[in-house]
Amino acid sequence: MTDALFKIERLKKRPDFLACAQAAHCARGAVLVQARPRDDRPLVRAGFTATKRIGGAVERNRAKRRLREAARLLLPALASPGFDYVFVARGGVTTRPWSRLLDDVKSALIRLAADGDGRARDPARAPPPQD
């Protein structure tokens, strides 16, 4: 399952995280996944974040470790090449059973991939239909 046809790298620079924040997203359970189409190179980049609302440094680090492992297991099979993904920890990510957390991440990635070119559409933010 870790034999991906594309390389997976880490997002580390703030502008990359901010660009993903403006892109499509899908919230499932204890995780929010943001996906931004980047270019045609067969490369996937993933970033992980947890805010202070999750808890102290120990809780935030635990949350990011769990998200990194979930992404390591699921991205090779479910990621679209040429996309950046940011995994944002939500409340309960550290106490959620592992199988449920994997299901959350998996369903968010599937939803993002299924919505056309990887963009989840939020009806409240959708532009009005053109005649």
Side-chain angles (χ1 to χ4, degrees):
M1 192 175 215
T2 59
D3 296 331
L5 299 175
F6 47 84
K7 189 173 180 180
I8 299 175
E9 292 183 355
R10 289 281 303 275
L11 287 177
K12 295 181 183 176
K13 298 187 187 280
R14 188 171 191 268
D16 293 330
F17 282 88
L18 294 176
C20 277
Q22 301 300 317
H25 63 276
C26 183
R28 292 287 190 264
V31 67
L32 170 79
V33 180
Q34 301 166 336
R36 177 179 77 106
R38 195 185 56 261
D39 55 25
D40 293 332
R41 292 185 303 152
L43 171 72
V44 170
R45 298 189 307 173
F48 307 91
T49 187
T51 65
K52 286 189 178 182
R53 287 174 50 184
I54 298 301
V58 173
E59 292 293 314
R60 291 194 308 270
N61 288 338
R62 181 176 294 131
K64 289 187 282 186
R65 277 196 309 269
R66 294 186 91 204
L67 291 178
R68 278 194 297 268
E69 181 62 15
R72 186 187 69 79
L73 294 173
L74 297 173
L75 277 179
L78 299 173
S80 300
F83 274 73
D84 288 345
Y85 293 94
V86 172
F87 296 84
V88 181
R90 296 174 74 195
V93 71
T94 57
T95 58
R96 196 160 185 89
W98 179 244
S99 61
R100 299 240 348 244
L101 182 62
L102 284 177
D103 288 342
D104 292 344
V105 173
K106 184 176 181 177
S107 65
L109 289 171
I110 290 171
R111 169 69 189 268
L112 287 168
D115 285 341
D117 57 346
R119 295 183 167 99
R121 289 171 182 82
D122 183 0
R125 293 178 146 184
Q130 305 228 344
D131 294 325

